[in-house]
Amino acid sequence: MAVFVTADRGQYHLHVTTSTPMTEPIAFTDSSERLANTMDERDALAWCRDLFHIPASRAHQDGRTSVYLVGNSLGCMPKAASEQVERELQDWRRLGVDAHMEARTPWYSYHEVLRDSAARLVGALPDEVVMMNSLTVNLHLMLASFYRPAGTRTKIIIEDAAFPSDSYAVQSQIVHHGLDPAEHLIRLLPRDGEHTLRTGDVCALIRDRRDEIALVLLPGVNYRTGQLFDMAAITNAAREAGARVGWDLAHAAGNVPMSLHDCKPDFAVWCTYKYLNAGPGSTAGCFVHQRNARDTSLPRLAGWWGNDPATRFEMTPDFVPVPRADAWSLSNPSILSMAPLKASLEIFERVGIEALRNKSVRLTAYLEYLLGDVGSPQITLITPTDPEARGCQLSIAVADGAQTLHETLCRSGVLVDFRRPNIIRAAPVPLYNSFHDVWSFVQVLRGHVAR
Ligand SMILES: *Cc1c(COP(=O)(O)O)cnc(C)c1O
């Protein structure tokens, strides 16, 4: 997909070309509510909003929905989720243990039903993807196989601003190998005065320290700044340096299209309760590139669900890993936490990630335009302005009174989130947010920031 922006006599035009061509370039000509409504009327994906329960505003008594811009923390509930969960409860009630083979979606292979749509979403082959566990658990399982410090190659590269769980996971793995994280963890910092990392700098560091690096672990999209990394360039640099490379896609999955197979990292992990709307603690995703997935000799932590399903119930003492990403699964998975994921993935199958991205680029550009129109010295965007370097989220640094501003927004029925010391994150999600949601958020903000 190509995105470009042109400015013409103070007007801002955004052009997007994708495999599904857009009807016309959008010009954000003014900040009126009327324009927001017009864009919603023209939105080919407006129908998707009705597939979700949008929480009612707790700030109003009239039942109106909140302006829900926190789908990057917990996606809204698909209406079809209840039905999918109820179906499994019924089959359990009706069949007991026989539901493993005789449920409408047999439990024995339930996770396999999710495989194709999950793989399409991240641009992987079906054999490269398994839905299991939760994100950090999957990260540890991947590190057990792909962080194997040896000789001079002992170090892990992460961002200094990595999500804490990732930071804890890699540090504990380093300790697990008897090494000191202070020495064996390299943390990437942006240049002075900058908020995000430059691809060239990341690649240069990997090249310069090539003999020391065992693993590069970065996020597809950074949770705090909203920066979308150039996964292809960094993966290439890491592989050329002879290092293993993995991606944490918590904020990328369901947000931006990806081509994991072609990009060729060793592994990737993601959760499904953020942009994938599968509910709190829902079953996470794991990608193992085909070259590794087929390698049954790789060291791994094993359990019976990673054994070839054809012989799994023969209960033999020797592990026979299936030559797929499935070989990393350990336990029989939670059906009740996969049921909402099934409902959610069916929506992504219907709509398509490319179409969602197409709307998302416009929705976020509209938010950026309106924030610029507010023109307050109190707020600064720290997310990259290049649409190819971000997903849907914009992060706003607030010069002072960030927490008060956040509370005011919440009291007005606008749900955005606050990260210390002064970042407000807003994520307009193309599946269920409207242009009017974006307008409403900025309308409230406008009334409470310095001019
Ligand atoms: C949300 C998120 C997590 C959360 O981990 P869980 O294991 O699902 O609790 C981890 N890493 C990143 C980058 C995240 O954004």
Side-chain angles (χ1 to χ4, degrees):
M1 182 173 75
V3 181
F4 54 99
V5 178
T6 55
D8 176 26
R9 281 161 310 209
Q11 288 183 7
Y12 176 59
H13 301 265
L14 180 80
H15 312 264
V16 184
T17 54
T18 62
S19 44
T20 36
M22 240 175 69
T23 43
E24 58 191 298
I26 301 266
F28 304 132
T29 45
D30 61 67
S31 59
S32 69
E33 185 171 17
R34 196 176 44 80
L35 182 66
N37 287 330
T38 304
M39 287 191 291
D40 282 332
E41 281 158 22
R42 288 201 209 156
D43 173 13
L45 299 185
W47 60 276
C48 298
R49 183 178 171 93
D50 199 41
L51 302 175
F52 292 87
H53 293 291
I54 317 285
S57 167
R58 295 167 65 196
H60 300 90
Q61 306 308 316
D62 56 8
R64 78 177 77 168
T65 55
S66 56
V67 175
Y68 196 88
L69 299 176
V70 286
N72 53 348
S73 284
L74 188 81
C76 287
M77 176 178 164
K79 289 180 180 167
S82 321
E83 195 185 304
Q84 289 291 340
V85 174
E86 183 54 33
R87 194 169 176 256
E88 300 316 318
L89 291 172
Q90 280 170 5
D91 284 354
W92 178 21
R93 188 157 56 215
R94 194 164 57 86
L95 299 165
V97 71
D98 288 339
H100 281 295
M101 295 303 175
E102 292 167 32
R104 283 163 283 183
T105 305
W107 297 345
Y108 192 62
S109 51
Y110 198 101
H111 64 295
E112 296 177 13
V113 172
L114 311 173
R115 194 202 320 278
D116 285 12
S117 49
R120 251 190 296 282
L121 206 52
V122 295
L125 303 176
D127 282 1
E128 294 174 319
V129 168
V130 56
M131 303 309 290
M132 59 181 187
N133 310 313
S134 52
L135 190 166
T136 310
V137 173
N138 290 345
L139 180 56
H140 274 295
L141 293 176
M142 292 294 99
L143 292 170
S145 289
F146 300 111
Y147 175 55
R148 314 281 304 167
T152 60
R153 268 186 203 282
T154 55
K155 296 185 180 160
I156 301 182
I157 293 188
I158 62 168
E159 300 169 287
D160 189 54
F163 193 92
S165 198
D166 300 45
S167 186
Y168 307 157
V170 295
Q171 289 180 67
S172 65
Q173 287 274 342
I174 291 171
V175 169
H176 187 72
H177 285 279
L179 302 171
D180 179 3
E183 195 185 326
H184 297 276
L185 187 58
I186 301 174
R187 293 176 167 275
L188 298 172
L189 275 163
R191 293 187 186 190
D192 275 351
E194 298 186 6
H195 297 286
T196 51
L197 291 165
R198 298 191 190 194
T199 307
D201 289 353
V202 177
C203 295
L205 183 117
I206 294 171
R207 266 196 308 276
D208 291 349
R209 305 187 66 171
R210 55 181 306 142
D211 299 332
E212 303 163 50
I213 300 166
L215 172 77
V216 177
L217 176 70
L218 290 171
V221 173
N222 176 282
Y223 77 101
R224 198 161 181 282
T225 63
Q227 176 181 19
L228 169 60
F229 282 76
D230 186 336
M231 294 174 53
I234 295 171
T235 300
N236 276 340
R239 296 195 67 217
E240 274 166 20
R244 296 285 198 179
V245 52
W247 291 94
D248 183 329
L249 305 178
H251 282 262
N255 181 9
V256 292
M258 288 174 281
S259 330
L260 283 184
H261 177 74
D262 293 339
C263 181
K264 301 191 176 65
D266 288 286
F267 69 87
V269 290
W270 61 98
C271 56
T272 58
Y273 47 81
K274 292 172 181 168
Y275 295 106
L276 292 179
N277 315 311
S282 50
T283 304
C286 184
F287 163 90
V288 182
H289 194 274
Q290 191 176 50
R291 66 179 181 278
N292 299 321
R294 285 185 175 166
D295 182 356
T296 52
S297 71
L298 276 172
R300 80 190 80 224
L301 300 180
W304 72 324
W305 233 251
N307 197 86
D308 187 338
T311 57
R312 186 182 291 144
F313 278 2
E314 288 173 16
M315 307 305 230
T316 57
D318 293 319
F319 179 57
V320 183
V322 63
R324 297 200 299 259
D326 279 47
W328 277 265
S329 49
L330 301 179
S331 301
N332 78 94
S334 163
I335 301 300
L336 295 181
S337 93
M338 287 189 294
L341 177 57
K342 182 165 173 286
S344 165
L345 289 173
E346 283 167 6
I347 296 173
F348 280 90
E349 279 288 278
R350 243 173 104 188
V351 183
I353 188 72
E354 287 288 345
L356 284 168
R357 174 64 169 162
N358 193 326
K359 173 177 171 186
S360 175
V361 167
R362 284 180 285 150
L363 200 57
T364 296
Y366 180 55
L367 174 54
E368 183 183 14
Y369 166 79
L370 289 181
L371 290 171
D373 182 70
V374 170
S376 168
Q378 199 185 341
I379 58 175
T380 317
L381 267 192
I382 63 165
T383 307
T385 51
D386 174 3
E388 303 232 44
R390 67 186 185 201
C392 74
Q393 170 186 324
L394 291 185
S395 303
I396 304 161
V398 182
D400 47 31
Q403 191 157 6
T404 314
L405 179 60
H406 178 246
E407 284 159 12
T408 307
L409 286 161
C410 292
R411 267 203 309 279
S412 312
V414 176
L415 298 182
V416 288
D417 94 0
F418 173 64
R419 295 280 143 175
R420 273 172 219 295
N422 67 334
I423 308 290
I424 285 180
R425 303 185 305 167
V429 169
L431 262 177
Y432 49 75
N433 284 128
S434 61
F435 288 87
H436 193 269
D437 282 340
V438 168
W439 182 86
S440 301
F441 160 46
V442 179
Q443 192 62 13
V444 177
L445 185 87
R446 202 184 282 277
H448 294 91
V449 290
R451 304 303 292 272

